[in-house]
Short mmCIF file of all heavy atoms in Angstrom, two decimals:
data_model
loop_
_atom_site.label_atom_id
_atom_site.label_comp_id
_atom_site.label_asym_id
_atom_site.label_seq_id
_atom_site.Cartn_x
_atom_site.Cartn_y
_atom_site.Cartn_z
N ASN B 275 70.03 6.67 5.86
CA ASN B 275 68.58 6.92 5.87
C ASN B 275 67.95 6.35 4.63
O ASN B 275 66.86 5.74 4.68
CB ASN B 275 68.32 8.37 5.95
CG ASN B 275 68.29 8.86 7.41
OD1 ASN B 275 68.24 8.01 8.21
ND2 ASN B 275 68.37 10.16 7.53
N LYS B 301 44.52 9.59 4.25
CA LYS B 301 43.24 9.97 3.75
C LYS B 301 43.18 9.88 2.27
O LYS B 301 42.19 9.29 1.67
CB LYS B 301 42.99 11.45 4.17
CG LYS B 301 41.49 11.80 4.16
CD LYS B 301 41.27 13.15 4.84
CE LYS B 301 41.74 14.25 4.02
NZ LYS B 301 41.51 15.65 4.69
N LYS B 322 42.78 12.69 -10.51
CA LYS B 322 43.26 14.04 -10.30
C LYS B 322 42.09 15.07 -10.01
O LYS B 322 42.14 15.91 -9.18
CB LYS B 322 44.17 14.47 -11.50
CG LYS B 322 44.90 15.82 -11.28
CD LYS B 322 45.99 16.00 -12.27
CE LYS B 322 46.63 17.44 -12.20
NZ LYS B 322 46.55 18.11 -11.01
N THR B 329 49.81 16.57 -9.22
CA THR B 329 50.18 15.40 -9.97
C THR B 329 51.18 14.53 -9.18
O THR B 329 51.07 13.25 -9.05
CB THR B 329 50.62 15.68 -11.31
OG1 THR B 329 49.76 16.60 -11.93
CG2 THR B 329 50.83 14.50 -12.23
N LEU B 353 41.92 -2.45 -8.81
CA LEU B 353 42.28 -2.99 -7.57
C LEU B 353 42.77 -4.35 -7.66
O LEU B 353 42.24 -5.16 -8.42
CB LEU B 353 41.08 -2.99 -6.55
CG LEU B 353 40.47 -1.69 -6.04
CD1 LEU B 353 39.32 -1.91 -5.18
CD2 LEU B 353 41.56 -0.87 -5.40
N GLY B 369 31.16 2.85 9.73
CA GLY B 369 30.39 3.21 10.94
C GLY B 369 31.32 3.58 12.09
O GLY B 369 31.18 4.53 12.80
N PHE B 383 27.03 -6.05 23.07
CA PHE B 383 26.36 -6.94 22.10
C PHE B 383 25.17 -6.15 21.45
O PHE B 383 24.83 -6.36 20.30
CB PHE B 383 25.86 -8.21 22.72
CG PHE B 383 24.61 -8.01 23.58
CD1 PHE B 383 23.35 -8.38 23.03
CD2 PHE B 383 24.61 -7.62 24.86
CE1 PHE B 383 22.20 -8.19 23.78
CE2 PHE B 383 23.47 -7.45 25.57
CZ PHE B 383 22.28 -7.76 25.01
N CYS B 422 0.50 -1.86 4.51
CA CYS B 422 -0.14 -0.85 5.31
C CYS B 422 -1.66 -1.00 4.93
O CYS B 422 -2.55 -0.99 5.77
CB CYS B 422 0.32 0.52 4.98
SG CYS B 422 0.86 1.35 6.45
N VAL B 457 6.88 13.44 4.51
CA VAL B 457 6.78 14.46 5.64
C VAL B 457 7.86 14.14 6.66
O VAL B 457 8.50 15.09 7.17
CB VAL B 457 5.39 14.16 6.36
CG1 VAL B 457 5.30 15.03 7.63
CG2 VAL B 457 4.27 14.81 5.37
N SER B 466 17.54 19.59 10.67
CA SER B 466 19.02 19.57 10.39
C SER B 466 19.43 20.97 9.87
O SER B 466 20.54 21.51 10.28
CB SER B 466 19.39 18.51 9.39
OG SER B 466 18.93 17.37 9.69
N TYR B 470 20.79 22.82 13.21
CA TYR B 470 22.21 22.45 13.21
C TYR B 470 22.89 22.97 11.95
O TYR B 470 24.07 22.69 11.81
CB TYR B 470 22.29 20.88 13.16
CG TYR B 470 21.66 20.26 14.43
CD1 TYR B 470 20.44 19.72 14.48
CD2 TYR B 470 22.46 20.26 15.65
CE1 TYR B 470 19.91 19.19 15.58
CE2 TYR B 470 21.94 19.76 16.81
CZ TYR B 470 20.61 19.18 16.80
OH TYR B 470 20.06 18.67 17.93
N ASN B 475 24.10 17.11 1.38
CA ASN B 475 23.74 15.67 1.11
C ASN B 475 22.19 15.40 1.14
O ASN B 475 21.82 14.30 1.38
CB ASN B 475 24.40 14.67 2.01
CG ASN B 475 25.96 14.86 1.99
OD1 ASN B 475 26.51 15.19 0.93
ND2 ASN B 475 26.57 14.68 3.13
N LYS B 477 19.97 15.29 -1.35
CA LYS B 477 19.45 14.34 -2.38
C LYS B 477 19.92 12.93 -2.00
O LYS B 477 19.14 11.96 -2.12
CB LYS B 477 20.08 14.77 -3.67
CG LYS B 477 19.16 15.73 -4.48
CD LYS B 477 19.68 16.00 -5.86
CE LYS B 477 20.27 17.39 -5.94
NZ LYS B 477 21.07 17.64 -7.10
N LEU B 501 -2.26 -12.07 10.85
CA LEU B 501 -3.79 -11.82 10.65
C LEU B 501 -4.37 -12.80 9.71
O LEU B 501 -5.43 -13.35 9.99
CB LEU B 501 -3.98 -10.40 10.07
CG LEU B 501 -3.91 -9.21 10.99
CD1 LEU B 501 -4.06 -7.95 10.19
CD2 LEU B 501 -4.97 -9.27 12.06
N GLY B 512 0.13 -12.86 20.09
CA GLY B 512 -0.12 -11.39 20.32
C GLY B 512 0.99 -10.75 21.04
O GLY B 512 1.37 -9.60 20.56
N ASN B 544 23.13 13.96 19.00
CA ASN B 544 22.21 14.93 18.47
C ASN B 544 21.21 14.16 17.56
O ASN B 544 20.04 14.40 17.50
CB ASN B 544 22.86 16.07 17.67
CG ASN B 544 23.62 16.96 18.61
OD1 ASN B 544 23.29 17.07 19.73
ND2 ASN B 544 24.61 17.55 18.09
#
Side-chain angles (χ1 to χ4, degrees):
Chain B
N275 273 346
K301 201 169 73 179
K322 190 163 171 25
T329 310
L353 291 179
F383 79 96
C422 236
V457 170
S466 311
Y470 298 100
N475 306 324
K477 270 188 251 167
L501 280 179
N544 293 331

